[in-house]
Amino acid sequence: MKNRSRAYFRHQRNRIVRSRYKMHYNHFDETLEELLPNSALLREPGRFSKYNLSCNCMMCKYAKHFDVKTFQNRRSLLSFKEQLEEYEQDNPYTR
């Protein structure tokens, strides 16, 4: 295990707090100040480091619940189809 300083752990914690604040902000399309003016998350942003934001509701995980293909999957499928068409055009024995 590497010897890591307090600064490293502080940096990682602050990074997680920032990312979770952004996730919370993007989920509600409002700032926390407007949504919860007296929220403990605003007074103590460090609570985001302990706060679990992994939501499994249908609004957050739409693609999972309704089997929507991700952009990467669609792109790889399209690439595969293009390669297959090229192969069929170049090879007269496939038909």
Side-chain angles (χ1 to χ4, degrees), residues 58-75:
M58 294 176 96
M59 185 172 75
C60 295
K61 302 279 185 177
Y62 184 83
K64 174 185 169 188
H65 290 283
F66 295 104
D67 295 328
V68 177
K69 300 236 184 301
T70 63
F71 182 72
Q72 285 181 326
N73 290 345
R74 285 186 278 160
R75 186 173 52 194

Side-chain angles (χ1 to χ4, degrees), residues 4 9-11 13 24 26 30-32 36 41 58-59 69-70 79 81-82 90 93:
R4 296 191 171 133
F9 289 110
R10 239 182 256 128
H11 167 72
R13 184 172 180 269
H24 204 282
N26 291 334
E30 298 176 356
T31 60
L32 282 175
L36 305 167
L41 290 174
M58 294 176 96
M59 185 172 75
K69 300 236 184 301
T70 63
S79 171
K81 286 181 181 178
E82 289 173 357
D90 295 341
Y93 301 111

Side-chain angles (χ1 to χ4, degrees), residues 76-92:
S76 64
L77 186 61
L78 184 62
S79 171
F80 176 71
K81 286 181 181 178
E82 289 173 357
Q83 289 175 4
L84 190 61
E85 288 174 1
E86 288 177 10
Y87 176 76
E88 289 176 351
Q89 289 175 356
D90 295 341
N91 193 353

Side-chain angles (χ1 to χ4, degrees), residues 14-58:
N14 289 336
R15 187 178 60 82
I16 295 298
V17 168
R18 268 196 319 270
S19 71
R20 289 183 180 175
Y21 181 83
K22 282 190 234 175
M23 285 171 29
H24 204 282
Y25 174 78
N26 291 334
H27 188 278
F28 291 112
D29 284 335
E30 298 176 356
T31 60
L32 282 175
E33 292 88 5
E34 296 168 2
L35 187 65
L36 305 167
N38 296 325
S39 173
L41 290 174
L42 286 176
R43 286 179 282 146
E44 301 161 6
R47 287 189 183 211
F48 273 116
S49 67
K50 305 281 185 183
Y51 186 56
N52 188 7
L53 286 179
S54 58
C55 183
N56 290 328
C57 71
M58 294 176 96

